[in-house]
């Protein structure tokens, strides 16, 4: 009798567990479906232009499901931003390689970024919106989400600096500080009122075309040093 009762309990537990697992899988798939739709929405529009109503209508998703999985538009947007930066960073770590001069290695990194964006066009729009036109009320949260990405870049540049001869009086820390200042100023330049009148696609093209040129000038200067002069 005890054995029969034990088998009955085990069978009942397995049925309940199976139902729970199917429910968890359904919940996961629903969450991923909403997130995928949101990446497409934010990946083709700015934060302000993106609409949960459009997202739901174009993907046959009820607003009830969206709000069951995400608190609001901000949380959904930040999840897209988080996924963007995490996948970018993981991609760079897989593809990372160093060979040649410092300038060549930096260009290689920029080429990797462009290749990633070609393969993931939605992330391209999300990335540049967070860098060039971030929602003001979400700046702090975005800064936290991109810490892993920023650390990769910092570590990459620091490793490159270990392989070159720096000018007298310039330490690796000083060089890194100036790199960070450069990127802040460069991105700030593209956030100016002049560029604010351009569409995001034009901003992205200008940014990518000019970043490598400015980096080259920063590394090697603009004035040719005359022989015998310091």
């Amino acid at each position: 009798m005890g054995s029969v009762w034990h088998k009955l309990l085990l069978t009942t537990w397995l049925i309940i567990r199976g139902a729970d697992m199917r429910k968890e899988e359904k919940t996961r798939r629903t969450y991923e479906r909403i997130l995928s739709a949101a990446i497409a929405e934010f990946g083709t529009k700015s934060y302000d232009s993106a609409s949960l109503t459009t997202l739901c209508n174009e993907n046959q998703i009820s607003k009830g499901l969206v709000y069951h999985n995400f608190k609001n538009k901000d949380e959904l947007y930040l999840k897209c931003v988080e996924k963007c930066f995490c996948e970018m960073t993981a991609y760079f770590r897989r593809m990372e390689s160093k060979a040649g001069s410092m300038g060549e290695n930096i260009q290689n990194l920029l080429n990797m970024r462009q290749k990633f964006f070609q393969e993931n066009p939605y992330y391209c729009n999300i990335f540049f919106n967070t860098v060039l036109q971030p929602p003001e009320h979400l700046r702090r949260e975005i800064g936290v989400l991109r810490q892993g990405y920023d650390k990769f870049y910092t570590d990459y540049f620091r490793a490159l600096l270990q392989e070159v001869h720096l000018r007298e009086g310039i330490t690796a820390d000083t060089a890194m500080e100036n790199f960070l200042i450069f990127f802040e100023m460069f991105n700030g330049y593209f956030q100016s009122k002049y560029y604010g009148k351009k569409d995001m696609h034009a901003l992205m093209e200008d940014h990518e075309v000019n970043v490598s040129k400015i980096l080259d000038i920063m590394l090697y200067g603009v004035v040719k040093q005359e022989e015998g002069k310091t």
Side-chain angles (χ1 to χ4, degrees), residues 35 39 42 47 74-88 123 126-127 129-131 135 138 141-146:
L35 187 59
I39 288 172
F42 291 116
Y47 169 85
D74 284 356
E75 182 180 15
L76 185 54
Y77 174 73
L78 290 173
K79 286 295 181 183
C80 294
V81 172
E82 180 180 20
K83 192 171 178 65
C84 171
F85 280 112
C86 284
E87 293 197 13
M88 281 183 69
Y123 286 151
I126 291 172
F127 173 82
N129 266 291
T130 63
V131 172
L138 296 177
E141 289 86 347
I142 290 171
V144 172
L145 293 176
R146 61 174 291 166

Side-chain angles (χ1 to χ4, degrees), residues 4 17 20 22 36 39-40 50 54 64 70 80 101 110 126 149 158 165 182 186 189 208 215 224:
V4 174
R17 179 57 180 162
D20 287 343
R22 288 192 294 274
S36 178
I39 288 172
T54 302
F70 301 92
C80 294
S101 68
L110 295 175
I126 291 172
Y149 171 85
R158 192 175 293 278
H165 297 290
F182 156 75
F186 184 72
Y189 171 72
E208 292 301 273
L215 266 172
K224 183 177 181 180

Side-chain angles (χ1 to χ4, degrees), residues 13-31:
W13 181 84
L14 289 173
I15 292 172
I16 294 173
R17 179 57 180 162
D20 287 343
M21 290 178 68
R22 288 192 294 274
K23 183 178 179 181
E24 289 173 3
E25 178 63 16
K26 182 179 179 181
T27 299
R28 185 190 67 78
R29 288 183 179 181
T30 299
Y31 180 93

Side-chain angles (χ1 to χ4, degrees), residues 159-178:
L160 292 181
L161 288 171
Q162 303 302 316
E163 301 174 5
V164 297
H165 297 290
L166 297 175
R167 285 171 49 190
E168 186 176 350
I170 302 294
T171 65
D173 287 340
T174 301
M176 279 304 309
E177 183 179 358
N178 280 277

